[in-house]
Amino acid sequence: MTDDHTHVQEFFAARAADWDSRFPDDGPAYRAAVAELGLRPGARVLDAGCGTGRALPALRDTVTSSGTVLGVDLTPAMLEAAVRAGRQSCGRLLLADVARLPVRAQTLDAVFGAGLISHLPDPAENLRELARVVRPGGLLALFHPIGRAALAARQGRQITPDDLRAEDNLRPLLAGSGWQMTSYVDEDARFLALAVRQG
Ligand SMILES: C[S@@+](CC[C@H](N)C(=O)[O-])C[C@H]1O[C@@H](n2cnc3c(N)ncnc32)[C@H](O)[C@@H]1O
């Protein structure tokens, strides 16, 4: 366990109990983002940094009972909140680091990551690990239910040019990690970058 991991766990453990009640209206935005992955019944999908599992019901509904849904998170308290919310009925919950996924190479069709990338200690390496577990042609969605400018305003800060999620930074970051970015939306109500796993 690194200092980065301990920091992430402490940060989210303190917020886990009321995570869902702080953002009660986000459900439709998660559903819309999941829909953009175009997953079919039977598909295998990972929610990376699933937290309390807010995306899991939409992922399960999309892949149906014949599909596979995994939710991975580093913070036990977030997964415990997911269980209390009944989200383990939507997918298998695993306590794990996205830097070392307990998943075989090229076994998944897609990865959904909401609010994850800004918390990763080594985004290039960690995105490469996500690429490892997805088949060539599979998809990645990096989502946030609020755009970068609106989030910065809410947090009382400015967006800096080195922001990882700026289009000009994210595109090469993804390309260097095995992903080709295919679409990018950054508006007040949502951030969504889609990428395809390169062969
Ligand atoms: C902003 S929260 C988002 C949670 C959830 N995806 C949502 O949209 O409500 C980020 C989550 O990523 C998890 N996380 C951060 N770094 C991680 C890592 N290296 N491996 C797995 N999970 C991680 C945190 O524990 C936290 O639950």
Side-chain angles (χ1 to χ4, degrees):
M1 189 68 53
T2 66
D3 286 351
D4 288 322
H5 291 149
T6 305
H7 175 74
V8 164
Q9 288 178 330
E10 287 175 357
F11 182 86
F12 286 106
R15 289 160 177 78
D18 66 347
W19 187 258
D20 286 18
S21 57
R22 283 172 66 201
F23 310 108
D25 303 323
D26 285 349
Y30 277 76
R31 284 208 170 261
V34 166
E36 297 223 19
L37 279 171
L39 294 168
R40 303 221 170 138
R44 293 156 300 177
V45 61
L46 165 69
D47 184 353
C50 65
T52 59
R54 292 195 292 166
L56 295 178
L59 290 169
R60 171 55 68 194
D61 288 350
T62 307
V63 305
T64 75
S65 58
S66 63
T68 300
V69 178
L70 289 178
V72 164
D73 204 282
L74 190 63
T75 306
M78 291 296 264
L79 293 176
E80 286 157 17
V83 171
R84 281 197 300 277
R87 306 239 167 85
Q88 84 278 18
S89 66
C90 303
R92 186 158 167 228
L93 300 177
L94 295 174
L95 180 65
D97 184 351
V98 299
R100 282 183 303 280
L101 289 165
V103 177
R104 277 179 311 193
Q106 301 190 9
T107 51
L108 301 178
D109 297 299
V111 174
F112 184 84
L116 173 71
I117 186 169
S118 316
H119 297 285
L120 297 176
D122 187 347
E125 191 58 38
N126 301 154
L127 286 167
R128 210 167 289 129
E129 172 67 354
L130 295 179
R132 181 187 70 78
V133 298
V134 171
R135 65 168 171 79
L139 297 176
L140 170 69
L142 296 175
F143 171 66
H144 210 273
I146 182 170
R148 290 188 310 130
L151 181 64
R154 189 163 84 187
Q155 296 174 339
R157 60 176 174 81
Q158 303 280 329
I159 300 178
T160 58
D162 62 350
D163 183 350
L164 207 59
R165 294 190 296 135
E167 186 169 6
D168 288 349
N169 297 333
L170 188 57
R171 187 180 297 280
L173 174 66
L174 286 166
S177 303
W179 299 99
Q180 182 187 0
M181 195 160 85
T182 52
S183 78
Y184 181 93
V185 175
D186 180 20
E187 50 199 26
D188 277 359
R190 72 167 177 170
F191 173 91
L192 182 64
L194 296 175
V196 62
R197 163 81 155 84
Q198 291 166 316

